[in-house]
Structures are given as structure tokens and as C-alpha cells.
């Protein structure tokens, strides 16, 4: 019955019931009914958005805030970005993670610097990996800020930026090849290797040249990885020529 009611509200655009629908969403225990309610709330966005934004506030329970941010990600409305940004550093990590995730789904470029500013080892591994995914979701729009982060004084930030560029890869991160090549000379081995692995995910001439140059690196481990990447790229180029011929 609840599912049918939510479906009817969304289908008929019953905006007079928007606030009731939103509040019922936070209390709904059944996953499938909650999904239908979410669909209806998103369908009635103009009427439901104020209540959803209010539900994301710090005076609400964590589970409500997380669900509200999930709905905001479904809206995918750039106008909500300013309201979401304060929550990316929320003391409640479940809320902070969902806020960062929501921004990655909305993909409004002006959110990128705020997310990139969080790079580094301040998070547990799971949160760090999730942040990498969130930044990488912006694709080419995240590359300039990540290239700037490669020059950070903090080696953990440099490594994390390289990891994000590796995740973005070809074709959107091709413009980062030169900056990544410079970081291959980083005194921190883990940073250098992260930059080299990111270069390995690029297909352009600039990336190939940087990998070739890395074969002469001072660090033997970096040289070994560069040699493997160069061999892999040569084989890929040979296969491409054979296929074309």
C-alpha cells in the first residue's frame, strides 16, 4: 500500500504531499518502498528539494542525513552543491563520505578543489579509496587541480593525486603526462611509483616519452617498473599495427 501510494504521488505530481512524502522517506524501513519513495521525491524535486536539504542538516540523525544526501545525488542539481560542501568534512564519517560521493555524482566542477584539498593520509584506507573514486568521477575536470596537487609539500598528497590521475587514465588525464613525468623523480619512492603507474594508464606520445625517460631513473625499482611499462606499450603498439595492417 505504501509503495502504491508513493508511486501515485510521483506519477500524478502531487506536490501538495511533497513534505509528507519526504518525511515518510526517512522513516521507511522497506528497501523497495524506500526506492519508490526516492523516485517520487526526485520526480517532484522543485517541491521536495527544500525539505531534503533541511534533512541533510546537522540536527538530524545520521541515517536521515545520509539518505538525504543520497537523494541530493539523485537530483544531480548543481544548485545544491553549496549546501552539500560543508558536509564533506562532517565529524560523522558516514555523512562526510556520502557528501563527497554525492558531489562526484553531481559533477559540478567547482566542487573539485574542495575535494582535492582533502587528499592525503588523513583518512583510513577505505575512506581514502572512496575519495579517490569521488575525485576521479569528475574526469578531465579534476585534472588541473590534481596536477597542482602533484606539487604539494606533503608527499601523501602527491601520491594520492597520482593515484587519482591513474584512476582517471586515458583519455581524460593525458594532459597530466608531463607533470607526472616530473613526479617520477620524486625522492619518495611510493610517490614516484604512483606517478609512473598513472603514466602507464595513458596512451599519448607524451606519456610514452616520460616512461622511456623513467627507464634511466636513479631508483632501481622505478627503472624496473618503467621497463615493464615500456615493453607493454611497445607490444600494444605492435598489436595495433598488425590489426590495422
Amino acid at each position: 500500500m505504501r509503495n502504491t501510494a508513493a508511486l501515485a504521488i510521483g506519477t500524478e505530481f502531487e506536490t501538495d504531499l511533497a513534505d509528507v512524502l519526504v518525511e515518510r522517506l526517512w522513516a521507511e524501513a522497506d528497501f523497495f518502498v524506500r526506492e519508490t519513495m526516492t523516485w517520487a521525491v526526485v520526480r517532484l524535486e522543485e517541491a521536495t528539494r527544500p525539505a531534503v536539504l533541511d534533512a541533510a542538516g546537522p540536527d538530524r540523525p545520521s541515517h536521515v542525513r545520509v539518505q538525504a544526501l543520497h537523494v541530493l545525488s539523485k537530483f544531480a542539481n548543481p544548485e545544491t552543491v553549496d549546501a552539500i560542501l560543508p558536509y564533506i568534512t562532517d565529524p560523522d564519517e558516514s555523512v562526510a563520505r556520502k557528501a563527497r560521493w554525492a558531489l562526484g555524482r553531481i559533477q559540478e566542477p567547482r566542487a573539485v578543489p574542495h575535494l582535492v584539498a582533502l587528499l592525503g593520509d588523513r583518512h583510513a584506507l577505505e575512506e581514502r579509496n572512496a575519495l579517490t573514486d569521488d575525485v576521479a568521477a569528475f574526469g578531465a575536470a579534476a585534472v588541473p587541480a590534481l596536477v597542482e596537487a602533484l606539487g604539494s609539500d606533503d608527499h601523501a598528497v602527491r601520491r594520492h593525486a597520482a593515484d587519482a590521475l591513474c584512476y582517471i587514465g586515458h583519455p581524460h588525464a593525458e594532459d597530466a603526462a608531463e607533470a607526472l613525468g616530473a613526479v617520477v623523480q620524486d625522492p619518495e619512492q611510493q610517490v614516484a611509483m604512483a606517478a609512473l603507474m598513472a603514466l602507464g594508464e595513458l596512451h599519448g606520445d607524451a606519456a610514452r616519452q616520460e616512461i622511456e625517460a623513467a627507464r634511466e631513473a636513479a631508483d632501481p625499482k622505478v627503472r624496473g617498473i618503467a621497463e615493464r611499462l615500456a615493453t607493454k606499450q611497445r607490444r600494444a603498439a605492435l598489436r595495433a599495427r598488425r590489426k590495422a595492417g
Side-chain angles (χ1 to χ4, degrees), residues 77-82 85 107-115 138:
N77 189 333
E79 293 181 9
T80 65
V81 166
D82 289 336
L85 280 172
Q107 295 185 9
E108 168 57 43
R110 60 195 172 86
V112 169
H114 298 274
L115 293 174
F138 288 84

Side-chain angles (χ1 to χ4, degrees), residues 98-136:
K98 196 66 171 183
R100 297 191 293 262
W101 182 87
L103 292 175
R105 307 288 77 72
I106 297 169
Q107 295 185 9
E108 168 57 43
R110 60 195 172 86
V112 169
H114 298 274
L115 293 174
V116 171
L118 301 179
L119 297 180
D121 284 342
R122 70 190 73 187
H123 303 285
L125 181 60
E126 186 178 354
E127 282 77 31
R128 182 185 184 279
N129 290 341
L131 178 58
T132 301
D133 292 343
D134 297 334
V135 173

Side-chain angles (χ1 to χ4, degrees), residues 69-180:
L69 288 163
H70 179 73
V71 175
L72 290 170
S73 77
K74 296 284 188 181
F75 287 162
N77 189 333
E79 293 181 9
T80 65
V81 166
D82 289 336
I84 296 172
L85 280 172
Y87 304 136
I88 66 175
T89 55
D90 197 272
D92 187 322
E93 183 55 40
S94 66
V95 173
R97 188 190 303 185
K98 196 66 171 183
R100 297 191 293 262
W101 182 87
L103 292 175
R105 307 288 77 72
I106 297 169
Q107 295 185 9
E108 168 57 43
R110 60 195 172 86
V112 169
H114 298 274
L115 293 174
V116 171
L118 301 179
L119 297 180
D121 284 342
R122 70 190 73 187
H123 303 285
L125 181 60
E126 186 178 354
E127 282 77 31
R128 182 185 184 279
N129 290 341
L131 178 58
T132 301
D133 292 343
D134 297 334
V135 173
F138 288 84
V143 171
L146 289 171
V147 167
E148 184 176 352
L150 289 175
S152 171
D153 291 336
D154 186 338
H155 69 88
V157 172
R158 297 196 301 274
R159 181 183 178 186
H160 203 170
D163 287 343
L165 287 166
C166 184
Y167 198 93
I168 293 171
H170 175 81
H172 300 302
E174 293 291 346
D175 289 345
E178 184 176 348
L180 287 166

Side-chain angles (χ1 to χ4, degrees), residues 129-236:
N129 290 341
L131 178 58
T132 301
D133 292 343
D134 297 334
V135 173
F138 288 84
V143 171
L146 289 171
V147 167
E148 184 176 352
L150 289 175
S152 171
D153 291 336
D154 186 338
H155 69 88
V157 172
R158 297 196 301 274
R159 181 183 178 186
H160 203 170
D163 287 343
L165 287 166
C166 184
Y167 198 93
I168 293 171
H170 175 81
H172 300 302
E174 293 291 346
D175 289 345
E178 184 176 348
L180 287 166
V183 178
V184 170
Q185 307 301 322
D186 199 282
E188 292 286 341
Q189 186 186 70
Q190 294 299 318
V191 177
M193 290 193 297
L196 191 53
M197 296 306 293
L199 285 168
E201 295 300 317
L202 305 180
H203 301 168
D205 290 338
R208 283 194 289 271
Q209 291 170 8
E210 297 294 349
I211 290 172
E212 286 293 332
R215 295 170 65 194
E216 305 298 327
D219 189 313
K221 193 166 185 178
V222 171
R223 287 200 308 271
I225 294 174
E227 183 62 45
R228 287 194 293 273
L229 289 174
T231 300
K232 179 182 175 181
Q233 289 186 338
R234 286 195 294 270
R235 288 173 178 170

